[in-house]
Amino acid sequence: MTYSIDMKEKDIYANIASRLSIKELNPMQKRMAGINVNGTVTLLAPTGSGKTIAFAIPLLKSLGKPTGNTQAIIMAPSRELVIQIANVIRPIAIGLKTVAFYGGHNMLEETNSLSVTPDIIVATPGRLLDHITRKNLNLTEVRTLVIDEYDKALELGFTEEMRKVTRRLPKVNLVILTSATRLDGLPDFLPKTNSDIVVDFCNSSPSPRHKTRIVRVPSPSRDKLETLTDLLQSLPDGRVIVFANHRESVERIYSALEKTGLPIGLYHGGLDQKNRENAVEMLNNGSTPILISTDLGSRGLDISGLSTVIHYHFPPSSEAWTHRNGRTARQDASGEVYIINSEGENIPDYVEWDNDYTPQGHNHNPISAHTSSLYFNVGKKEKISRGDIVGFLIAKGNLESSQIGRIALRDHSAIVAVPRTEAARLVDELNSHRIKNTRAKISVLTPVIL
């Protein structure tokens, strides 16, 4: 098939380079860039290999100018993954409106965002079906469908929702599926296309295992908390995720480590969306560089520079082992994985390691929180930009631009990383000023209190 496109490939690549600071595509992304078919493409590749950009290129190539109709749908199995995908697509889909729909997001705001029909919708299956049921959407002109991490979507029980959505897509001629693991056959609810292609980079793409050192840490007791504490205090400064298998275990670990003074955050499905997003942002910006998480944190999160993964519990499946470990050694980086193993504990066949290590409980350059997170209760919907926040902190907070770290700007809030030593002073001084003629309440964001 020959596409009639307005967004030429060179423009897509230029946008990726300028907006995402990626100067060269990896081999998998280059292979996907060459996809130009009327059919179904299954992309198999390891976690952290750049799948979003890989499927974004053929998706954008398939689109023309805005037509007043939705042209592409991207479904993903979690809110976090939807947000991550939208944050990649928006900057490079110049001239096309991209919206994100997911549970926990304000339904009225999502509905209002449809006053101008979006060209691209990124959504969880359930929330997308909700909008369809409310007759907020007409998807009859959609030509491109992407299901990211489709194996996880099936595993989580979204089959019926996806089936009902795809029934509303009569004109789809390009389907892209992505996964880090193989499935036996394609789901029967997919729109029928003229051909099926598999792009398999599971083995040929540089695997995180080749860049990861896996270490077993023996625990002298079945209760691994003391060993975990010693291990965390032995690691060099960096960002770490500790995985446990159950929500109750995660909370227990979090409560115990909190008493040690380690800079920790908490992440699991029982937290509301705002607290989950805050936890990920505080990990990313260095305010709480240790995150205690269930397997919910093993996929779909946009986490940069994660140096270490720790398995407090052995993962329940080989897929979970792969996805947990895939949080580190992403793209060109290397990483370390630690397995805490108590005596007599059964070790699954899929778990392997390179050497053993006994932590001593100290490091000359320990994990530290170098920043604090300032929370602003205003955001994009109040017409506040990142530039406004930077200017405000410089003019009213007497900060140097180099002292202002990562800024996460949301619809009605913003989180800004600032030096830990300056946070209390900034809160005292800034709350007496307006930002862009808007009164904002500013506070220091703290981890969840159990």
Side-chain angles (χ1 to χ4, degrees):
M1 174 181 178
T2 301
Y3 288 108
S4 175
I5 59 174
D6 295 280
M7 180 178 285
K8 304 297 184 184
E9 282 189 57
K10 64 180 181 180
D11 297 322
I12 297 172
Y13 301 152
N15 293 339
I16 290 172
S18 62
R19 300 299 185 92
L20 301 180
S21 299
I22 296 173
K23 302 306 180 185
E24 184 176 0
L25 301 179
N26 65 31
M28 176 189 68
Q29 293 161 349
K30 289 177 181 177
R31 174 72 177 88
M32 287 296 289
I35 294 295
N36 195 22
V37 297
N38 181 347
T40 298
V41 181
T42 302
L43 172 60
L44 302 174
T47 299
S49 56
K51 290 199 296 286
T52 304
I53 291 173
F55 73 67
I57 297 171
L59 179 147
L60 293 175
K61 284 172 58 180
S62 74
L63 305 184
K65 291 181 179 179
T67 61
N69 297 304
T70 299
Q71 301 182 60
I73 294 290
I74 304 170
M75 286 192 285
S78 70
R79 294 175 254 192
E80 291 80 6
L81 188 53
V82 165
I83 294 167
Q84 178 183 335
I85 294 168
N87 287 341
V88 172
I89 297 290
R90 279 196 189 101
I92 59 177
I94 295 175
L96 301 171
K97 181 179 180 181
T98 302
V99 298
F101 297 153
Y102 50 89
H105 199 207
N106 186 290
M107 175 59 84
L108 179 59
E109 287 188 6
E110 289 187 358
T111 303
N112 290 341
S113 73
L114 294 170
S115 59
V116 176
T117 301
D119 303 282
I120 304 169
I121 296 175
V122 190
T124 53
R127 181 52 70 97
L128 184 58
L129 183 60
D130 197 354
H131 280 290
I132 293 171
T133 303
R134 293 169 185 250
K135 302 189 184 304
N136 293 338
L137 293 172
N138 180 350
L139 304 181
T140 55
E141 298 301 316
V142 170
R143 303 289 180 141
T144 301
L145 169 66
V146 177
I147 304 179
D148 194 22
E149 297 199 354
Y150 77 97
D151 56 331
K152 187 67 172 179
L154 297 176
E155 178 187 322
L156 291 175
F158 289 124
T159 301
E160 273 312 300
E161 286 93 339
M162 291 191 291
R163 188 187 305 278
K164 290 176 181 177
V165 169
T166 55
R167 285 174 184 165
R168 271 80 168 187
L169 309 177
K171 296 184 180 180
V172 166
N173 53 26
L174 175 60
V175 177
I176 302 174
L177 309 175
T178 81
S179 175
T181 57
R182 294 177 177 83
L183 281 187
D184 295 330
L186 297 176
D188 62 4
F189 57 76
L190 291 177
K192 303 303 179 187
T193 60
N194 293 340
S195 62
D196 295 334
I197 295 175
V198 177
V199 177
D200 189 348
F201 273 78
C202 280
N203 295 320
S204 56
S205 181
S207 169
R209 178 65 183 102
H210 299 146
K211 301 174 289 180
T212 304
R213 185 171 71 102
I214 302 180
V215 179
R216 186 179 75 101
V217 180
S219 174
S221 66
R222 294 193 65 83
D223 187 340
K224 303 176 182 179
L225 278 172
E226 186 175 344
T227 302
L228 174 62
T229 303
D230 285 344
L231 175 58
L232 289 170
Q233 292 174 336
S234 300
L235 294 177
D237 202 11
R239 297 191 183 113
V240 181
I241 292 186
V242 179
F243 285 108
N245 288 349
H246 309 289
R247 183 184 304 175
E248 296 77 13
S249 299
V250 165
E251 292 190 348
R252 175 175 173 267
I253 295 166
Y254 177 79
S255 295
L257 292 179
E258 197 176 26
K259 297 170 185 174
T260 69
L262 286 164
I264 58 169
L266 176 69
Y267 190 87
H268 63 61
L271 301 176
D272 63 34
Q273 181 67 16
K274 182 178 179 180
N275 280 325
R276 283 158 56 182
E277 290 177 359
N278 290 349
V280 173
E281 182 55 32
M282 292 174 73
L283 173 65
N284 266 321
N285 71 20
S287 297
T288 52
I290 302 170
L291 186 67
I292 317 301
S293 177
T294 60
D295 276 315
L296 183 66
S298 67
R299 301 174 84 161
L301 298 185
D302 185 11
I303 299 171
S304 59
L306 192 75
S307 57
T308 305
V309 164
I310 298 174
H311 298 273
Y312 185 84
H313 292 139
F314 286 116
S317 67
S318 60
E319 289 79 13
W321 168 253
T322 298
H323 288 295
R324 286 184 185 184
N325 293 347
R327 290 287 88 201
T328 189
R330 298 175 74 84
Q331 301 292 355
D332 296 326
S334 58
E336 292 191 328
V337 171
Y338 291 87
I339 313 156
I340 302 179
N341 176 210
S342 62
E343 187 176 352
E345 188 175 18
N346 291 327
I347 301 176
D349 292 339
Y350 47 80
V351 170
E352 59 180 3
W353 63 90
D354 301 311
N355 59 281
D356 287 357
Y357 170 66
T358 301
Q360 302 302 309
H362 60 84
N363 190 292
H364 71 280
N365 181 32
I367 299 172
S368 303
H370 302 287
T371 65
S372 288
S373 293
L374 293 189
Y375 180 85
F376 289 65
N377 70 339
V378 292
K380 289 183 286 188
K381 297 294 186 181
E382 289 74 36
K383 309 299 183 184
I384 301 298
S385 70
R386 288 180 174 84
D388 295 328
I389 292 172
V390 170
F392 180 65
L393 290 171
I394 292 172
K396 304 301 182 183
N398 296 311
L399 287 183
E400 300 289 336
S401 60
S402 61
Q403 293 179 288
I404 302 169
R406 180 180 163 112
I407 299 175
L409 187 63
R410 302 172 184 163
D411 285 348
H412 295 292
S413 64
I415 298 174
V416 187
V418 298
R420 197 171 187 82
T421 54
E422 298 284 346
R425 176 187 69 79
L426 288 168
V427 169
D428 288 341
E429 295 182 6
L430 295 177
N431 273 301
S432 61
H433 298 283
R434 292 176 179 267
I435 175 171
K436 202 177 179 182
N437 295 319
T438 300
R439 178 70 68 187
K441 184 175 181 180
I442 302 165
S443 57
V444 176
L445 190 62
T446 56
V448 173
I449 299 174
L450 293 179

